[in-house]
PDB file of all heavy atoms in Angstrom:
ATOM      1  N   GLN A 105      -3.691   6.770  14.785  1.00 74.00           N
ATOM      2  CA  GLN A 105      -4.052   8.131  14.403  1.00 74.00           C
ATOM      3  C   GLN A 105      -5.527   8.401  14.651  1.00 74.00           C
ATOM      4  O   GLN A 105      -6.375   7.522  14.488  1.00 74.00           O
ATOM      5  CB  GLN A 105      -3.720   8.381  12.927  1.00 74.00           C
ATOM      6  CG  GLN A 105      -2.263   8.127  12.587  1.00 74.00           C
ATOM      7  CD  GLN A 105      -1.308   8.860  13.496  1.00 74.00           C
ATOM      8  OE1 GLN A 105      -1.405  10.081  13.659  1.00 74.00           O
ATOM      9  NE2 GLN A 105      -0.378   8.125  14.085  1.00 74.00           N
ATOM     10  N   PRO A 106      -5.862   9.631  15.083  1.00 75.00           N
ATOM     11  CA  PRO A 106      -7.270   9.976  15.331  1.00 75.00           C
ATOM     12  C   PRO A 106      -8.015  10.225  14.017  1.00 75.00           C
ATOM     13  O   PRO A 106      -7.911  11.294  13.420  1.00 75.00           O
ATOM     14  CB  PRO A 106      -7.166  11.264  16.168  1.00 75.00           C
ATOM     15  CG  PRO A 106      -5.853  11.869  15.761  1.00 75.00           C
ATOM     16  CD  PRO A 106      -4.942  10.727  15.444  1.00 75.00           C
ATOM     17  N   MET A 107      -8.747   9.245  13.550  1.00 69.00           N
ATOM     18  CA  MET A 107      -9.532   9.383  12.327  1.00 69.00           C
ATOM     19  C   MET A 107     -10.714   8.420  12.382  1.00 69.00           C
ATOM     20  O   MET A 107     -10.758   7.509  13.223  1.00 69.00           O
ATOM     21  CB  MET A 107      -8.673   9.112  11.083  1.00 69.00           C
ATOM     22  CG  MET A 107      -8.025   7.745  11.052  1.00 69.00           C
ATOM     23  SD  MET A 107      -7.019   7.456   9.556  1.00 69.00           S
ATOM     24  CE  MET A 107      -5.669   8.563   9.820  1.00 69.00           C
ATOM     25  N   ARG A 108     -11.663   8.640  11.512  1.00 66.00           N
ATOM     26  CA  ARG A 108     -12.827   7.759  11.466  1.00 66.00           C
ATOM     27  C   ARG A 108     -12.407   6.339  11.102  1.00 66.00           C
ATOM     28  O   ARG A 108     -11.483   6.149  10.305  1.00 66.00           O
ATOM     29  CB  ARG A 108     -13.845   8.269  10.456  1.00 66.00           C
ATOM     30  CG  ARG A 108     -14.560   9.529  10.912  1.00 66.00           C
ATOM     31  CD  ARG A 108     -15.792   9.821  10.065  1.00 66.00           C
ATOM     32  NE  ARG A 108     -15.436  10.168   8.710  1.00 66.00           N
ATOM     33  CZ  ARG A 108     -15.770   9.445   7.643  1.00 66.00           C
ATOM     34  NH1 ARG A 108     -16.423   8.326   7.780  1.00 66.00           N
ATOM     35  NH2 ARG A 108     -15.438   9.850   6.435  1.00 66.00           N
ATOM     36  N   PRO A 109     -13.061   5.330  11.683  1.00 65.00           N
ATOM     37  CA  PRO A 109     -12.682   3.941  11.380  1.00 65.00           C
ATOM     38  C   PRO A 109     -12.683   3.630   9.892  1.00 65.00           C
ATOM     39  O   PRO A 109     -11.818   2.902   9.408  1.00 65.00           O
ATOM     40  CB  PRO A 109     -13.737   3.116  12.137  1.00 65.00           C
ATOM     41  CG  PRO A 109     -14.183   3.994  13.259  1.00 65.00           C
ATOM     42  CD  PRO A 109     -14.117   5.394  12.715  1.00 65.00           C
ATOM     43  N   ALA A 110     -13.662   4.174   9.153  1.00 61.00           N
ATOM     44  CA  ALA A 110     -13.725   3.888   7.715  1.00 61.00           C
ATOM     45  C   ALA A 110     -12.515   4.471   6.983  1.00 61.00           C
ATOM     46  O   ALA A 110     -11.907   3.815   6.136  1.00 61.00           O
ATOM     47  CB  ALA A 110     -15.014   4.445   7.126  1.00 61.00           C
ATOM     48  N   ILE A 111     -12.156   5.716   7.317  1.00 68.00           N
ATOM     49  CA  ILE A 111     -10.986   6.332   6.697  1.00 68.00           C
ATOM     50  C   ILE A 111      -9.718   5.592   7.105  1.00 68.00           C
ATOM     51  O   ILE A 111      -8.791   5.419   6.305  1.00 68.00           O
ATOM     52  CB  ILE A 111     -10.893   7.820   7.091  1.00 68.00           C
ATOM     53  CG1 ILE A 111     -12.148   8.579   6.580  1.00 68.00           C
ATOM     54  CG2 ILE A 111      -9.648   8.456   6.518  1.00 68.00           C
ATOM     55  CD1 ILE A 111     -12.299   8.569   5.090  1.00 68.00           C
ATOM     56  N   ARG A 112      -9.684   5.129   8.343  1.00 71.00           N
ATOM     57  CA  ARG A 112      -8.518   4.368   8.801  1.00 71.00           C
ATOM     58  C   ARG A 112      -8.354   3.097   7.986  1.00 71.00           C
ATOM     59  O   ARG A 112      -7.239   2.754   7.569  1.00 71.00           O
ATOM     60  CB  ARG A 112      -8.655   4.061  10.285  1.00 71.00           C
ATOM     61  CG  ARG A 112      -7.425   3.358  10.876  1.00 71.00           C
ATOM     62  CD  ARG A 112      -7.604   3.032  12.346  1.00 71.00           C
ATOM     63  NE  ARG A 112      -7.696   4.236  13.149  1.00 71.00           N
ATOM     64  CZ  ARG A 112      -8.790   4.637  13.789  1.00 71.00           C
ATOM     65  NH1 ARG A 112      -9.899   3.900  13.715  1.00 71.00           N
ATOM     66  NH2 ARG A 112      -8.789   5.732  14.506  1.00 71.00           N
ATOM     67  N   GLN A 113      -9.451   2.371   7.772  1.00 68.00           N
ATOM     68  CA  GLN A 113      -9.383   1.140   6.974  1.00 68.00           C
ATOM     69  C   GLN A 113      -8.947   1.438   5.540  1.00 68.00           C
ATOM     70  O   GLN A 113      -8.151   0.701   4.948  1.00 68.00           O
ATOM     71  CB  GLN A 113     -10.749   0.445   6.979  1.00 68.00           C
ATOM     72  CG  GLN A 113     -11.152  -0.141   8.323  1.00 68.00           C
ATOM     73  CD  GLN A 113     -10.250  -1.274   8.744  1.00 68.00           C
ATOM     74  OE1 GLN A 113      -9.806  -2.078   7.922  1.00 68.00           O
ATOM     75  NE2 GLN A 113      -9.961  -1.358  10.029  1.00 68.00           N
ATOM     76  N   LEU A 114      -9.460   2.527   4.976  1.00 68.00           N
ATOM     77  CA  LEU A 114      -9.080   2.901   3.612  1.00 68.00           C
ATOM     78  C   LEU A 114      -7.598   3.253   3.536  1.00 68.00           C
ATOM     79  O   LEU A 114      -6.906   2.866   2.587  1.00 68.00           O
ATOM     80  CB  LEU A 114      -9.941   4.071   3.141  1.00 68.00           C
ATOM     81  CG  LEU A 114      -9.651   4.596   1.724  1.00 68.00           C
ATOM     82  CD1 LEU A 114      -9.892   3.505   0.700  1.00 68.00           C
ATOM     83  CD2 LEU A 114     -10.505   5.817   1.422  1.00 68.00           C
ATOM     84  N   ALA A 115      -7.104   3.978   4.544  1.00 74.00           N
ATOM     85  CA  ALA A 115      -5.690   4.341   4.557  1.00 74.00           C
ATOM     86  C   ALA A 115      -4.811   3.107   4.665  1.00 74.00           C
ATOM     87  O   ALA A 115      -3.764   3.007   4.009  1.00 74.00           O
ATOM     88  CB  ALA A 115      -5.415   5.303   5.711  1.00 74.00           C
ATOM     89  N   ILE A 116      -5.218   2.139   5.482  1.00 74.00           N
ATOM     90  CA  ILE A 116      -4.437   0.909   5.640  1.00 74.00           C
ATOM     91  C   ILE A 116      -4.389   0.142   4.319  1.00 74.00           C
ATOM     92  O   ILE A 116      -3.335  -0.334   3.886  1.00 74.00           O
ATOM     93  CB  ILE A 116      -5.022   0.055   6.773  1.00 74.00           C
ATOM     94  CG1 ILE A 116      -4.787   0.722   8.127  1.00 74.00           C
ATOM     95  CG2 ILE A 116      -4.415  -1.346   6.766  1.00 74.00           C
ATOM     96  CD1 ILE A 116      -5.463   0.029   9.285  1.00 74.00           C
ATOM     97  N   LYS A 117      -5.535   0.003   3.674  1.00 72.00           N
ATOM     98  CA  LYS A 117      -5.583  -0.733   2.404  1.00 72.00           C
ATOM     99  C   LYS A 117      -4.794  -0.006   1.317  1.00 72.00           C
ATOM    100  O   LYS A 117      -4.106  -0.644   0.510  1.00 72.00           O
ATOM    101  CB  LYS A 117      -7.041  -0.914   1.964  1.00 72.00           C
ATOM    102  CG  LYS A 117      -7.873  -1.808   2.879  1.00 72.00           C
ATOM    103  CD  LYS A 117      -7.356  -3.235   2.892  1.00 72.00           C
ATOM    104  CE  LYS A 117      -8.212  -4.139   3.756  1.00 72.00           C
ATOM    105  NZ  LYS A 117      -7.656  -5.506   3.845  1.00 72.00           N
ATOM    106  N   SER A 118      -4.878   1.332   1.296  1.00 74.00           N
ATOM    107  CA  SER A 118      -4.158   2.100   0.279  1.00 74.00           C
ATOM    108  C   SER A 118      -2.650   1.971   0.473  1.00 74.00           C
ATOM    109  O   SER A 118      -1.903   1.804  -0.504  1.00 74.00           O
ATOM    110  CB  SER A 118      -4.576   3.568   0.340  1.00 74.00           C
ATOM    111  OG  SER A 118      -5.971   3.700   0.097  1.00 74.00           O
ATOM    112  N   SER A 119      -2.204   2.062   1.728  1.00 77.00           N
ATOM    113  CA  SER A 119      -0.769   1.927   1.982  1.00 77.00           C
ATOM    114  C   SER A 119      -0.279   0.524   1.628  1.00 77.00           C
ATOM    115  O   SER A 119       0.825   0.364   1.084  1.00 77.00           O
ATOM    116  CB  SER A 119      -0.457   2.244   3.438  1.00 77.00           C
ATOM    117  OG  SER A 119      -1.044   1.288   4.305  1.00 77.00           O
ATOM    118  N   GLU A 120      -1.094  -0.477   1.926  1.00 74.00           N
ATOM    119  CA  GLU A 120      -0.703  -1.847   1.585  1.00 74.00           C
ATOM    120  C   GLU A 120      -0.557  -2.012   0.068  1.00 74.00           C
ATOM    121  O   GLU A 120       0.412  -2.599  -0.424  1.00 74.00           O
ATOM    122  CB  GLU A 120      -1.747  -2.824   2.125  1.00 74.00           C
ATOM    123  CG  GLU A 120      -1.444  -4.282   1.822  1.00 74.00           C
ATOM    124  CD  GLU A 120      -2.507  -5.214   2.370  1.00 74.00           C
ATOM    125  OE1 GLU A 120      -3.495  -4.717   2.941  1.00 74.00           O
ATOM    126  OE2 GLU A 120      -2.345  -6.440   2.227  1.00 74.00           O
ATOM    127  N   PHE A 121      -1.526  -1.486  -0.689  1.00 75.00           N
ATOM    128  CA  PHE A 121      -1.470  -1.575  -2.144  1.00 75.00           C
ATOM    129  C   PHE A 121      -0.253  -0.827  -2.686  1.00 75.00           C
ATOM    130  O   PHE A 121       0.463  -1.326  -3.568  1.00 75.00           O
ATOM    131  CB  PHE A 121      -2.761  -1.002  -2.743  1.00 75.00           C
ATOM    132  CG  PHE A 121      -2.760  -0.960  -4.256  1.00 75.00           C
ATOM    133  CD1 PHE A 121      -3.023  -2.096  -4.995  1.00 75.00           C
ATOM    134  CD2 PHE A 121      -2.484   0.226  -4.934  1.00 75.00           C
ATOM    135  CE1 PHE A 121      -3.017  -2.064  -6.380  1.00 75.00           C
ATOM    136  CE2 PHE A 121      -2.476   0.272  -6.305  1.00 75.00           C
ATOM    137  CZ  PHE A 121      -2.746  -0.879  -7.033  1.00 75.00           C
ATOM    138  N   ALA A 122       0.015   0.365  -2.151  1.00 80.00           N
ATOM    139  CA  ALA A 122       1.143   1.161  -2.638  1.00 80.00           C
ATOM    140  C   ALA A 122       2.481   0.473  -2.348  1.00 80.00           C
ATOM    141  O   ALA A 122       3.378   0.446  -3.196  1.00 80.00           O
ATOM    142  CB  ALA A 122       1.115   2.559  -1.998  1.00 80.00           C
ATOM    143  N   ILE A 123       2.616  -0.097  -1.159  1.00 78.00           N
ATOM    144  CA  ILE A 123       3.874  -0.750  -0.771  1.00 78.00           C
ATOM    145  C   ILE A 123       4.170  -1.923  -1.690  1.00 78.00           C
ATOM    146  O   ILE A 123       5.290  -2.063  -2.222  1.00 78.00           O
ATOM    147  CB  ILE A 123       3.814  -1.191   0.702  1.00 78.00           C
ATOM    148  CG1 ILE A 123       3.900   0.038   1.626  1.00 78.00           C
ATOM    149  CG2 ILE A 123       4.956  -2.164   1.033  1.00 78.00           C
ATOM    150  CD1 ILE A 123       3.615  -0.275   3.079  1.00 78.00           C
ATOM    151  N   PHE A 124       3.188  -2.787  -1.914  1.00 76.00           N
ATOM    152  CA  PHE A 124       3.440  -3.971  -2.726  1.00 76.00           C
ATOM    153  C   PHE A 124       3.530  -3.635  -4.213  1.00 76.00           C
ATOM    154  O   PHE A 124       4.212  -4.334  -4.971  1.00 76.00           O
ATOM    155  CB  PHE A 124       2.372  -5.028  -2.468  1.00 76.00           C
ATOM    156  CG  PHE A 124       2.561  -5.738  -1.156  1.00 76.00           C
ATOM    157  CD1 PHE A 124       1.789  -5.428  -0.061  1.00 76.00           C
ATOM    158  CD2 PHE A 124       3.536  -6.714  -1.016  1.00 76.00           C
ATOM    159  CE1 PHE A 124       1.972  -6.071   1.154  1.00 76.00           C
ATOM    160  CE2 PHE A 124       3.728  -7.370   0.185  1.00 76.00           C
ATOM    161  CZ  PHE A 124       2.948  -7.048   1.275  1.00 76.00           C
ATOM    162  N   ALA A 125       2.861  -2.556  -4.643  1.00 77.00           N
ATOM    163  CA  ALA A 125       3.021  -2.130  -6.041  1.00 77.00           C
ATOM    164  C   ALA A 125       4.444  -1.628  -6.292  1.00 77.00           C
ATOM    165  O   ALA A 125       5.065  -1.958  -7.303  1.00 77.00           O
ATOM    166  CB  ALA A 125       2.000  -1.027  -6.358  1.00 77.00           C
ATOM    167  N   ILE A 126       4.969  -0.859  -5.355  1.00 80.00           N
ATOM    168  CA  ILE A 126       6.352  -0.379  -5.489  1.00 80.00           C
ATOM    169  C   ILE A 126       7.328  -1.554  -5.460  1.00 80.00           C
ATOM    170  O   ILE A 126       8.293  -1.599  -6.235  1.00 80.00           O
ATOM    171  CB  ILE A 126       6.670   0.630  -4.366  1.00 80.00           C
ATOM    172  CG1 ILE A 126       5.841   1.910  -4.558  1.00 80.00           C
ATOM    173  CG2 ILE A 126       8.150   0.957  -4.333  1.00 80.00           C
ATOM    174  CD1 ILE A 126       5.935   2.880  -3.417  1.00 80.00           C
ATOM    175  N   ALA A 127       7.075  -2.524  -4.569  1.00 77.00           N
ATOM    176  CA  ALA A 127       7.948  -3.705  -4.492  1.00 77.00           C
ATOM    177  C   ALA A 127       7.936  -4.478  -5.812  1.00 77.00           C
ATOM    178  O   ALA A 127       8.980  -4.949  -6.284  1.00 77.00           O
ATOM    179  CB  ALA A 127       7.511  -4.603  -3.337  1.00 77.00           C
ATOM    180  N   PHE A 128       6.754  -4.593  -6.428  1.00 76.00           N
ATOM    181  CA  PHE A 128       6.648  -5.308  -7.702  1.00 76.00           C
ATOM    182  C   PHE A 128       7.405  -4.585  -8.809  1.00 76.00           C
ATOM    183  O   PHE A 128       8.124  -5.218  -9.596  1.00 76.00           O
ATOM    184  CB  PHE A 128       5.169  -5.460  -8.074  1.00 76.00           C
ATOM    185  CG  PHE A 128       4.954  -6.110  -9.409  1.00 76.00           C
ATOM    186  CD1 PHE A 128       5.103  -7.477  -9.564  1.00 76.00           C
ATOM    187  CD2 PHE A 128       4.607  -5.337 -10.517  1.00 76.00           C
ATOM    188  CE1 PHE A 128       4.911  -8.076 -10.809  1.00 76.00           C
ATOM    189  CE2 PHE A 128       4.405  -5.932 -11.754  1.00 76.00           C
ATOM    190  CZ  PHE A 128       4.563  -7.307 -11.895  1.00 76.00           C
ATOM    191  N   LEU A 129       7.285  -3.256  -8.877  1.00 76.00           N
ATOM    192  CA  LEU A 129       7.991  -2.491  -9.908  1.00 76.00           C
ATOM    193  C   LEU A 129       9.500  -2.588  -9.725  1.00 76.00           C
ATOM    194  O   LEU A 129      10.243  -2.722 -10.705  1.00 76.00           O
ATOM    195  CB  LEU A 129       7.538  -1.028  -9.861  1.00 76.00           C
ATOM    196  CG  LEU A 129       6.075  -0.763 -10.259  1.00 76.00           C
ATOM    197  CD1 LEU A 129       5.743   0.713 -10.094  1.00 76.00           C
ATOM    198  CD2 LEU A 129       5.808  -1.220 -11.683  1.00 76.00           C
ATOM    199  N   ILE A 130       9.962  -2.515  -8.475  1.00 77.00           N
ATOM    200  CA  ILE A 130      11.406  -2.648  -8.230  1.00 77.00           C
ATOM    201  C   ILE A 130      11.887  -4.028  -8.640  1.00 77.00           C
ATOM    202  O   ILE A 130      12.962  -4.192  -9.230  1.00 77.00           O
ATOM    203  CB  ILE A 130      11.714  -2.380  -6.742  1.00 77.00           C
ATOM    204  CG1 ILE A 130      11.418  -0.922  -6.390  1.00 77.00           C
ATOM    205  CG2 ILE A 130      13.171  -2.710  -6.419  1.00 77.00           C
ATOM    206  CD1 ILE A 130      11.564  -0.599  -4.924  1.00 77.00           C
ATOM    207  N   LEU A 131      11.085  -5.057  -8.358  1.00 74.00           N
ATOM    208  CA  LEU A 131      11.472  -6.424  -8.719  1.00 74.00           C
ATOM    209  C   LEU A 131      11.570  -6.575 -10.226  1.00 74.00           C
ATOM    210  O   LEU A 131      12.510  -7.222 -10.737  1.00 74.00           O
ATOM    211  CB  LEU A 131      10.450  -7.411  -8.151  1.00 74.00           C
ATOM    212  CG  LEU A 131      10.673  -8.888  -8.482  1.00 74.00           C
ATOM    213  CD1 LEU A 131      12.026  -9.354  -7.957  1.00 74.00           C
ATOM    214  CD2 LEU A 131       9.551  -9.741  -7.931  1.00 74.00           C
ATOM    215  N   MET A 132      10.621  -6.009 -10.966  1.00 73.00           N
ATOM    216  CA  MET A 132      10.687  -6.094 -12.419  1.00 73.00           C
ATOM    217  C   MET A 132      11.937  -5.398 -12.960  1.00 73.00           C
ATOM    218  O   MET A 132      12.576  -5.877 -13.902  1.00 73.00           O
ATOM    219  CB  MET A 132       9.427  -5.444 -13.037  1.00 73.00           C
ATOM    220  CG  MET A 132       8.135  -6.177 -12.753  1.00 73.00           C
ATOM    221  SD  MET A 132       8.106  -7.846 -13.434  1.00 73.00           S
ATOM    222  CE  MET A 132       8.458  -8.816 -11.942  1.00 73.00           C
ATOM    223  N   ASN A 133      12.301  -4.286 -12.338  1.00 74.00           N
ATOM    224  CA  ASN A 133      13.505  -3.574 -12.767  1.00 74.00           C
ATOM    225  C   ASN A 133      14.760  -4.385 -12.456  1.00 74.00           C
ATOM    226  O   ASN A 133      15.704  -4.426 -13.264  1.00 74.00           O
ATOM    227  CB  ASN A 133      13.558  -2.214 -12.066  1.00 74.00           C
ATOM    228  CG  ASN A 133      14.705  -1.354 -12.564  1.00 74.00           C
ATOM    229  OD1 ASN A 133      14.878  -1.194 -13.755  1.00 74.00           O
ATOM    230  ND2 ASN A 133      15.483  -0.823 -11.640  1.00 74.00           N
ATOM    231  N   ILE A 134      14.784  -5.046 -11.290  1.00 69.00           N
ATOM    232  CA  ILE A 134      15.956  -5.871 -10.944  1.00 69.00           C
ATOM    233  C   ILE A 134      16.092  -7.042 -11.897  1.00 69.00           C
ATOM    234  O   ILE A 134      17.205  -7.401 -12.313  1.00 69.00           O
ATOM    235  CB  ILE A 134      15.814  -6.362  -9.482  1.00 69.00           C
ATOM    236  CG1 ILE A 134      15.964  -5.185  -8.515  1.00 69.00           C
ATOM    237  CG2 ILE A 134      16.861  -7.434  -9.159  1.00 69.00           C
ATOM    238  CD1 ILE A 134      15.713  -5.542  -7.078  1.00 69.00           C
ATOM    239  N   MET A 135      14.979  -7.653 -12.285  1.00 66.00           N
ATOM    240  CA  MET A 135      15.029  -8.797 -13.188  1.00 66.00           C
ATOM    241  C   MET A 135      15.295  -8.398 -14.630  1.00 66.00           C
ATOM    242  O   MET A 135      15.536  -9.254 -15.484  1.00 66.00           O
ATOM    243  CB  MET A 135      13.713  -9.590 -13.108  1.00 66.00           C
ATOM    244  CG  MET A 135      13.477 -10.280 -11.776  1.00 66.00           C
ATOM    245  SD  MET A 135      11.957 -11.256 -11.756  1.00 66.00           S
ATOM    246  CE  MET A 135      12.349 -12.517 -12.983  1.00 66.00           C
ATOM    247  N   GLY A 136      15.229  -7.102 -14.925  1.00 65.00           N
ATOM    248  CA  GLY A 136      15.482  -6.636 -16.275  1.00 65.00           C
ATOM    249  C   GLY A 136      14.334  -6.867 -17.224  1.00 65.00           C
ATOM    250  O   GLY A 136      14.532  -6.933 -18.451  1.00 65.00           O
TER     251      GLY A 136
END
């Protein structure tokens, strides 16, 4: 995507945090 390198790095880190946070919450729900 056409964006500043700093914003690109922030977007990558934010998406990574969001993906694994959602995975953790789903896992906790599956384990009860």
Side-chain angles (χ1 to χ4, degrees):
Q105 303 308 307
M107 58 180 69
R108 288 194 293 116
I111 298 298
R112 184 181 294 112
Q113 291 294 323
L114 179 61
I116 290 174
K117 294 296 182 184
S118 300
S119 66
E120 180 180 2
F121 176 80
I123 288 170
F124 284 103
I126 293 172
F128 177 76
L129 293 177
I130 294 174
L131 178 60
M132 293 298 101
N133 186 49
I134 291 174
M135 293 183 65

